[in-house]
Amino acid sequence: MTGHDESGDGIRRRGRRSRALKAAGLTLAGLLVVGAGTAGWAYWHLNHNITSVDINSALGDDRPAKAVVTPSATASASASPSPLPTEALNILVLGSDSRSGKANARLGGGNSSGARSDTAMVVHIDAGRTTATVVSIPRDTLVTRPSCPLPSGGSTAVAYGAMFNSAYAVGGPVCAVKTVESITNVRMDHYIEIDFAGFAKLVDALGGVTVTTDQDIDDDKSHLHLDAGTHHLNGKQALALARTRHGIGDGSDLGRIGLQQKLVKALLEQMAGTDLLTDPAKLYQVADAVTSSLTTDTGLDSLKELTNLGQSLKGLSADDVKTVMMPVATAPSDPNRVVAREPAAEELWTSLR
């Protein structure tokens, strides 16, 4: 390798590290891929790890309208031939047990016939991309699930009073996106999904994550038992924390969402405090852990596209990310389910359009 190549690599690596540390509002997968792009075989391997779904083609025009993008004066005056985008962006992020395999089975994941979305978050990045809001949608929310196209042809039937996470179970990512757009009237610009094994591998690759819990957790179903206080968790423990609900509060999904949001913040802080570039082996381990368990829409299915997104978020810091939950109330038909609480839910979604 020539001296010129080495200099170029150094510049690219420093730039990617800066973007990875600052893009706290981006999903965990995107953050790490931005910092992990390398040349040659490693780049090819990481790029081909990513699975994609063509959601735009599947849904066609029967969707909320895209936001009108007006080029900024800064972008217009930029000498760059391809100025970075600055418009607002909405990304549906799912944590799922959708992939079969021994690793997922050991961690409690499902198989191809029993797919579920355990975690759903709408990540809204404001115009200018310096602030963001992460909205969690409880999986036990009762919704009207729209008719969704199926990969094999045909479509699912409209379902009234269906659990929110059933959308993924019956129609995969396409139906999950269509259902979110139906209940929010907000266009999802992108989709990112990571499975159980990938999440656990990510945490382990980062050396674990430190989380402070406000109450004791005693959940035999998730096999997590923690006293209130600060704990450094490995990947399996962090996944259990993200999934636990029976040992906290009233045992509903609402308590779990609070833990998930706390865990996301802790992971972002862990990433910011980890100098991956001083340990190339660890850098590759982190990137491989994420991309091998990542599913995206076709607009984010390459390292180049993810890197471009990360570059556009370089002004976003962890302190600029707000986490909230969709306002809900107990469902009149079932005390174990919730429904969107209006007009608060509509006001929230309106603020993201």
Side-chain angles (χ1 to χ4, degrees):
M1 182 177 291
T2 67
H4 178 270
D5 290 337
E6 290 174 354
S7 176
D9 282 348
I11 293 171
R12 287 193 293 273
R13 289 173 180 169
R14 286 193 295 273
R16 286 175 183 137
R17 176 175 180 269
S18 174
R19 291 191 294 272
L21 297 182
K22 291 180 179 178
L26 185 59
T27 61
L28 304 184
L31 278 166
L32 292 172
V33 172
V34 168
T38 55
W41 179 88
Y43 184 96
W44 180 92
H45 176 72
L46 295 175
N47 209 49
H48 284 73
N49 271 346
I50 304 169
T51 300
S52 65
V53 178
D54 193 350
I55 291 172
N56 287 337
S57 294
L59 294 184
D61 296 327
D62 185 20
R63 309 177 65 183
K66 287 186 176 181
V68 177
V69 179
T70 302
S72 66
T74 300
S76 300
S78 174
S80 171
S82 300
L84 293 171
T86 59
E87 71 274 12
L89 201 63
N90 295 299
I91 305 172
L92 176 60
V93 180
L94 292 187
S96 79
D97 63 354
S98 63
R99 297 185 182 183
S100 59
K102 293 181 180 179
N104 275 318
R106 286 194 299 268
L107 294 168
N111 53 43
S112 58
S113 63
R116 297 165 297 179
S117 55
D118 267 18
T119 302
M121 297 179 178
V122 173
V123 179
H124 173 79
I125 302 165
D126 294 307
R129 304 200 179 181
T130 57
T131 57
T133 303
V134 179
V135 184
S136 295
I137 302 177
R139 71 174 191 172
D140 294 339
T141 305
L142 297 182
V143 302
T144 296
R145 191 182 69 224
S147 174
C148 301
L150 295 171
S152 58
S155 59
T156 65
V158 176
Y160 300 96
M163 278 182 58
F164 169 75
N165 72 337
S166 69
Y168 185 96
V170 302
V174 170
C175 198
V177 169
K178 186 165 186 179
T179 300
V180 169
E181 292 185 341
S182 176
I183 65 177
T184 67
N185 197 28
V186 176
R187 174 79 169 234
M188 294 298 110
D189 300 294
H190 292 298
Y191 170 86
I192 294 179
E193 172 193 330
I194 189 166
D195 68 15
F196 283 176
F199 180 80
K201 286 169 62 179
L202 165 61
V203 174
D204 283 336
L206 288 169
V209 61
T210 301
V211 177
T212 299
T213 60
D214 300 323
Q215 58 182 298
D216 296 343
I217 297 175
D218 189 19
D219 189 351
D220 289 332
K221 291 186 178 294
S222 67
H223 308 291
L224 184 66
H225 305 278
L226 293 175
D227 294 331
T230 300
H231 304 272
H232 190 73
L233 309 179
N234 61 26
K236 186 174 182 179
Q237 292 170 321
L239 177 62
L241 182 67
R243 300 186 67 206
T244 196
R245 64 174 175 143
H246 296 284
I248 57 170
D250 60 1
S252 73
D253 197 42
L254 307 187
R256 168 164 51 192
I257 284 175
L259 291 176
Q260 289 173 348
Q261 292 178 338
K262 183 174 291 190
L263 183 57
V264 167
K265 285 280 192 178
L267 272 173
L268 292 172
E269 291 173 0
Q270 178 73 13
M271 291 176 194
T274 303
D275 191 356
L276 295 175
L277 289 182
T278 63
D279 189 344
K282 189 171 193 178
L283 172 62
Y284 181 82
Q285 182 185 7
V286 169
D288 189 46
V290 174
T291 57
S292 63
S293 304
L294 189 67
T295 299
T296 73
D297 66 284
T298 50
L300 285 181
D301 61 354
S302 72
L303 292 179
K304 179 180 179 180
E305 289 159 339
L306 286 165
T307 298
N308 186 57
L309 176 60
Q311 287 176 320
S312 76
L313 298 170
K314 61 184 179 181
L316 187 66
S317 70
D319 292 337
D320 298 318
V321 179
K322 179 182 179 181
T323 57
V324 298
M325 183 178 70
M326 181 182 78
V328 295
T330 302
S333 61
D334 187 341
N336 295 315
R337 301 289 181 260
V338 296
V339 293
R341 177 168 54 83
E342 302 296 357
E346 174 58 23
E347 290 171 355
L348 171 62
W349 299 126
T350 298
S351 72
L352 305 186
R353 291 175 193 146

